[in-house]
Amino acid sequence: MTTTAGNPARTRDEDAIGDPPASPTLVPAERYYSPEFAALEIEQMWPKVWQIACMVDHVAQPGDYFEYRCGPYGILVVRGDDGVLRAFQNSCRHRGNSLCVGSGSGLRELKCGYHGWTWDLAGSLKRVPNRKGFGSLHMSEFPLLPANVDTFAGMVFVSLDVDAMPLLEYLDAIPDDIAWCHIEDFRCYATLTVDVEANWKTIADGYSETYHIQTLHPELLRCVDDIHAPQQIWVHAGKSDQPYGVPSPRFEGALSDEEVWDAYVYTQGMLMGTAEGTPIPDNRQPGQTVPDLIAERTREFAAARGVDLSWADTDRVTRLHQYNVFPNMTFLVNADHLTIMTSRPGADPDHGELTMFLMTRMAPGAPYNKPTDMRMSADQAEPGIVLTQDIKVLPGLQRGLHQPGLTHLVLSNEERRVINMHRNLERYLDLPKSARMTGGQGASQV
């Protein structure tokens, strides 16, 4: 049996649907727009989960800091003088003022800009102006409030729950499943945060299924097998494998190699350093497939950066492994590509934020450089044709969810990573059975 690189338990011939359920899964639509449901998420879910806050690139040196916001919550990630990475609730113990905004370098202490209370980078209170006015105030009783922080493969995760399960346990099988790729060698050169008129779940759903490719991404469909894209569900996490450089079987063999190559160059050419319009190489070797050509060009592109990809066969260069982590994160990875995306709640349930971490594989041991953090509106954002299509569809999705006749989303087993997100949501919110999903594969019993 031929198996998928990095996922030996799954066959390449398995489709994205798997075993069809007895009936569709029905998810209450109000979860995507109800203020009461959003408040429940803020109260019971967001403080309990692990979330990616930034990359180690942001906080690599002593004195580096990064402020992570999610809804009303703020977490300050700081690299201490001792080199230890710590996280604190971003709140002055005096009257709650946020201590830092954004990200930066060179911190020697954490001083509140309102009244001057000051902590060291390990969170110990050091100075209180006019301290005698507080009477018997013991400095040791007012450290910064801690948050949980840990790293995985260059990603910095935080949780407001200091008793949260270990991060590696939360990530299920992901660390072992992707170990072959050494994603710790990727470096973040920029982040892009896009303000979107859509709920954070509406955003996250878009990168949790491949069902939409055939309609929303016609250009991409010409160079990706969206049917034989096997999925796997763990607990907090799920996975999909997508072969690139081949046409969707929906074309029934009607596309030539040249058409498949052109589609890949148009939608993904930047991943192999190839400009739009570059024709298929005319020096092909006998038996060399389009994926082989893509892999060869990608290895050459990597070599120009000092990166040796000789260890990666065609499948590891062209098969995209997409991992979803509850509640709001996905990362897409192959031998020379890593993009991380996350969504967060906005000012109300109809608004959210999409953040993309843009990465480049570097030679092992390459130094960290501070990423450029950008923010823009959905109208301004054009992060490539495929992601732009994903962003543009979101406001219409969110508006449609409000329609009074649309009481439930009707989900296929092909959308089971979306279903798994809702299954976890129900668990964290401890929803009564009457408010849970119905149908599908025992969804109402979870």
Side-chain angles (χ1 to χ4, degrees):
M1 179 177 67
T2 302
T3 58
T4 300
N7 193 4
R10 316 294 287 183
T11 66
R12 287 195 179 103
D13 293 332
E14 186 173 348
D15 67 22
I17 296 173
D19 297 326
S23 64
T25 297
L26 304 182
V27 178
E30 66 176 2
R31 295 184 181 185
Y32 287 78
Y33 58 80
S34 163
E36 292 77 17
F37 196 86
L40 198 61
E41 292 173 340
I42 291 294
E43 177 185 349
Q44 297 189 30
M45 187 272 286
W46 290 112
K48 297 294 185 182
V49 294
W50 283 101
Q51 304 173 62
I52 182 172
C54 61
M55 302 299 297
V56 169
D57 306 74
H58 286 96
V59 286
Q61 301 299 325
D64 287 352
Y65 67 92
F66 188 94
E67 175 206 24
Y68 176 69
R69 296 185 190 179
C70 180
Y73 303 118
I75 298 177
L76 186 60
V77 182
V78 180
R79 179 76 66 178
D81 299 325
D82 54 2
V84 175
L85 197 62
R86 298 180 177 88
F88 308 103
Q89 296 181 33
N90 193 9
S91 179
C92 175
R93 295 297 302 274
H94 173 217
R95 280 168 53 185
N97 185 44
S98 296
L99 296 172
C100 292
V101 176
S103 63
S105 303
L107 276 186
R108 295 187 177 181
E109 59 186 16
L110 294 164
K111 181 178 180 180
C112 177
Y114 198 6
H115 296 95
W117 284 40
T118 304
W119 290 260
D120 65 20
L121 299 188
S124 297
L125 182 60
K126 294 302 181 184
R127 293 194 302 275
V128 175
N130 302 332
R131 180 178 169 187
K132 68 178 183 179
F134 293 91
S136 182
L137 183 150
H138 299 286
M139 307 285 271
S140 62
E141 294 179 358
F142 296 94
L144 291 180
L145 300 169
N148 218 335
V149 63
D150 203 349
T151 62
F152 164 66
M155 309 174 199
V156 178
F157 287 80
V158 294
S159 175
L160 284 168
D161 184 2
V162 294
D163 297 318
M165 71 170 62
L167 175 62
L168 290 183
E169 180 181 344
Y170 188 92
L171 294 175
D172 297 333
I174 289 177
D176 289 337
D177 198 74
I178 199 59
W180 63 271
C181 196
H182 298 288
I183 57 178
E184 66 274 5
D185 290 335
F186 284 89
R187 295 287 184 265
C188 181
Y189 62 88
T191 70
L192 173 61
T193 297
V194 182
D195 295 309
V196 181
E197 294 179 3
N199 187 268
W200 71 268
K201 293 184 292 296
T202 306
I203 301 170
D205 289 354
Y207 48 69
S208 300
E209 46 90 1
T210 58
Y211 185 37
H212 69 277
I213 291 177
Q214 59 184 307
T215 304
L216 187 62
H217 304 310
E219 301 88 353
L220 185 63
L221 192 69
R222 301 169 73 85
C223 61
V224 63
D225 186 342
D226 61 319
I227 291 179
H228 300 114
Q231 300 187 72
Q232 193 164 355
I233 300 296
W234 295 298
V235 180
H236 290 102
K239 177 189 179 183
S240 171
D241 289 340
Q242 301 159 33
Y244 276 71
V246 294
S248 169
R250 301 179 197 278
F251 287 102
E252 298 181 341
L255 296 184
S256 67
D257 283 355
E258 288 77 8
E259 289 172 307
V260 176
W261 168 269
D262 290 345
Y264 188 87
V265 169
Y266 181 57
T267 60
Q268 315 286 315
M270 74 293 293
L271 301 183
M272 57 180 183
T274 302
E276 183 180 337
T278 300
I280 191 169
D282 56 10
N283 58 345
R284 296 171 65 178
Q285 301 300 313
Q288 202 170 27
T289 65
V290 174
D292 291 334
L293 294 172
I294 292 170
E296 183 177 72
R297 185 68 62 92
T298 302
R299 293 189 198 98
E300 293 172 356
F301 182 49
R305 305 192 307 274
V307 174
D308 179 11
L309 286 185
S310 61
W311 54 270
D313 63 15
T314 293
D315 188 75
R316 285 184 167 177
V317 175
T318 59
R319 182 178 295 270
L320 194 65
H321 304 262
Q322 180 168 345
Y323 296 92
N324 294 85
V325 182
F326 179 79
N328 62 339
M329 174 192 174
T330 192
F331 64 96
L332 304 96
V333 61
N334 62 29
D336 198 43
H337 173 62
L338 174 63
T339 297
I340 303 166
M341 296 187 289
T342 183
S343 63
R344 296 188 298 273
D348 59 58
D350 288 319
H351 290 81
E353 301 173 351
L354 167 64
T355 296
M356 289 168 274
F357 297 82
L358 309 178
M359 316 289 293
T360 300
R361 185 184 283 280
M362 304 295 289
Y368 290 100
N369 293 302
K370 187 76 70 172
T372 300
D373 298 317
M374 302 173 288
R375 189 181 195 104
M376 60 186 62
S377 68
D379 291 336
Q380 298 170 314
E382 294 187 358
I385 182 172
V386 176
L387 288 175
T388 299
Q389 290 169 339
D390 287 328
I391 291 171
K392 298 302 184 187
V393 78
L394 292 172
L397 271 169
Q398 189 65 28
R399 286 194 303 273
L401 289 164
H402 277 273
Q403 305 314 305
L406 188 77
T407 59
H408 291 79
L409 284 69
V410 183
L411 301 184
S412 156
N413 204 47
E414 192 167 353
E415 298 162 292
R416 60 186 179 273
R417 283 176 288 148
V418 178
I419 295 171
N420 194 54
M421 183 271 288
H422 282 282
R423 183 177 295 118
N424 276 290
L425 198 58
E426 292 179 349
R427 182 162 56 91
Y428 275 84
L429 301 186
D430 194 24
L431 295 180
K433 186 175 180 179
S434 60
R436 297 191 176 195
M437 298 180 289
T438 56
Q441 296 177 329
S444 63
Q445 305 301 314
V446 177

